[in-house]
Amino acid sequence: MPSTDVLHEYTVPLTMRAIVLPEPNEQINLADVELPVPECADNELLIKVEYVGLNPVDGQFAKSGFCKWQYPHILGLDAVGVVVKASKGIFPNVGERVMWHASVGDQGVLSEYTKVPNYAVSVLPAGLNPAVAAILPCAGMAALISLDKLSISEGDTILIEGGAGAVGQFAIQYAKQRGADVFATASKRNHKLVKQLGADMVFDYNDKKLCEKIRRELGPQGFDAVIDTIGGESTARNIELMRFCGKIACLNPLPCFDQELMYRRAPNISVVSLGGAWLANSLCAQQRLSFMGNLLLEGACNGDIKTPTLTAVEFNAQAVSDALNKQLAGGFTGKQVVHVAP
């Protein structure tokens, strides 16, 4: 019988199940392992993980690796769980259910237990499904940061690329709440969904006459702002569709820009990086993750924000590998959630 530590009403084992990436690989081959339960510093919470929300970035890094990782590496960034250990006087208290976006540079959250600084979590409101809360951080926070960087306000025109993706779904709704006129791109089969979320106009991103059709609806002035969730060649195209000195928030690596385009459009380019809050060791930025988490939880709880459709994923290496590969294959509009523990 393994020895245990008794903490309040919780019994915490010495070891835990986890899903790890043995090394980066194109197939996203993962492994089920047994690891020690992490030790916490004074300002850290020990959390029993309940749900983990999967994101495309999880699959991308599983293939390419990340410069800060040592292997084997526990995957996963978005989670909900219950605090089972906290130093005296630290909030949230033991027994609280919390949501957070974890540091990309540290071990992830696809494990039965994990640790996180207390100032980076958000406490779930009563009545909110914890599985729903687990899908909010990465996509929801990226959407909120993008809109803040663009300073979206009433009457602005904004183009949201990938409107049916999770970031796009949140961005459309929050942009409408701020009074913007929202244009979005999506595959034709997802136009109904994107319009139901509040987009004023939706365009098929596979349409060879996309720019021509956008200009016909928008007029000659160009967009005030763009949220570019796609990257690559579409980034330059989107800048072409913006007004002079318009703003663009980019969620993927920037391409090499044609200097004539830069000179003619003089765009204000912002890079959106949730992981930067951790990698820059910015306490203020990490606390802001908590504030945004509170906003997302409130919106989901009171129905102001519609969340993407959930798909349950089993807590084992093969199921998570299959789920991540499915996300990267494209065309997936919902969110996948791993049920780690009841």
Side-chain angles (χ1 to χ4, degrees):
M1 184 176 185
S3 60
T4 57
D5 296 319
V6 179
L7 304 169
H8 298 276
E9 67 270 33
Y10 293 97
T11 301
V12 180
L14 296 180
T15 62
M16 64 182 185
R17 292 185 300 143
I19 297 174
V20 301
L21 177 71
E23 60 182 9
N25 64 90
E26 274 296 316
Q27 295 73 36
I28 313 185
N29 290 323
L30 307 176
D32 297 297
V33 298
E34 190 96 355
L35 295 173
V37 171
E39 295 287 332
C40 296
D42 287 344
N43 69 330
E44 291 178 325
L45 308 169
L46 182 65
I47 296 176
K48 181 177 173 60
V49 180
E50 296 177 306
Y51 294 93
V52 172
L54 299 180
N55 297 292
V57 69
D58 297 317
Q60 292 160 6
F61 282 145
K63 289 190 172 191
S64 67
F66 186 69
C67 59
K68 299 289 185 180
W69 289 359
Q70 293 182 337
Y71 301 94
H73 177 80
I74 302 173
L75 288 179
L77 294 169
D78 290 352
V80 165
V82 175
V83 179
V84 295
K85 182 178 180 181
S87 297
K88 188 175 181 180
I90 292 292
F91 178 83
N93 299 317
V94 170
E96 295 275 19
R97 178 172 281 116
V98 296
M99 175 198 82
W100 73 100
H101 179 75
S103 170
V104 68
D106 296 327
Q107 291 290 350
V109 295
L110 274 168
S111 55
E112 291 181 303
Y113 293 87
T114 192
K115 61 181 181 179
V116 63
N118 71 302
Y119 47 77
V121 304
S122 304
V123 176
L124 264 66
L128 180 63
N129 182 345
V132 171
I135 71 169
L136 298 176
C138 192
M141 291 177 186
L144 289 172
I145 291 174
S146 298
L147 293 169
D148 287 345
K149 281 179 172 282
L150 298 172
S151 301
I152 292 298
S153 59
E154 189 166 356
D156 286 343
T157 56
I158 183 172
L159 172 65
I160 297 175
E161 281 272 42
V167 175
Q169 291 186 41
F170 286 113
I172 288 168
Q173 296 176 81
Y174 281 114
K176 289 304 296 182
Q177 287 185 13
R178 299 184 188 198
D181 294 325
V182 176
F183 294 66
T185 63
S187 63
K188 206 155 191 178
R189 63 188 176 86
N190 291 321
H191 282 201
K192 182 178 179 181
L193 167 65
V194 173
K195 287 183 178 179
Q196 287 174 339
L197 293 171
D200 298 290
M201 294 293 300
V202 188
F203 302 90
D204 183 357
Y205 54 66
N206 293 312
D207 194 331
K208 294 181 179 179
K209 294 184 178 181
L210 174 63
C211 292
E212 179 184 327
K213 291 182 178 179
I214 288 177
R215 288 193 178 100
R216 189 183 306 153
E217 296 293 337
L218 180 66
Q221 70 272 20
F223 292 109
D224 295 306
V226 173
I227 295 180
D228 184 0
T229 66
I230 308 299
E233 293 180 0
S234 67
T235 305
R237 182 202 69 201
N238 290 334
I239 291 174
E240 188 68 66
L241 289 168
M242 288 160 47
R243 64 171 174 80
F244 181 68
C245 289
K247 301 173 184 177
I248 183 168
C250 300
L251 280 72
N252 282 300
L254 299 177
C256 292
F257 291 115
D258 177 74
Q259 292 307 303
E260 188 275 337
L261 173 64
M262 296 293 99
Y263 187 75
R264 179 162 44 83
R265 280 288 183 260
N268 292 285
I269 301 174
S270 296
V271 173
V272 177
S273 170
L274 285 182
W278 298 102
L279 298 175
N281 292 319
S282 171
L283 178 60
C284 289
Q286 293 162 22
Q287 289 176 318
R288 188 185 175 203
L289 298 180
S290 172
F291 300 151
M292 289 189 294
N294 292 336
L295 183 62
L296 291 164
L297 289 169
E298 181 183 355
C301 189
N302 62 25
D304 288 343
I305 292 296
K306 298 176 183 176
T307 56
T309 303
L310 300 187
T311 300
V313 177
E314 293 183 13
F315 181 51
N316 66 70
Q318 187 59 57
V320 172
S321 175
D322 292 343
L324 292 176
N325 278 301
K326 181 179 180 180
Q327 281 192 150
L328 295 183
F332 188 74
T333 60
K335 291 287 287 183
Q336 299 178 101
V337 181
V338 181
H339 189 189
V340 178

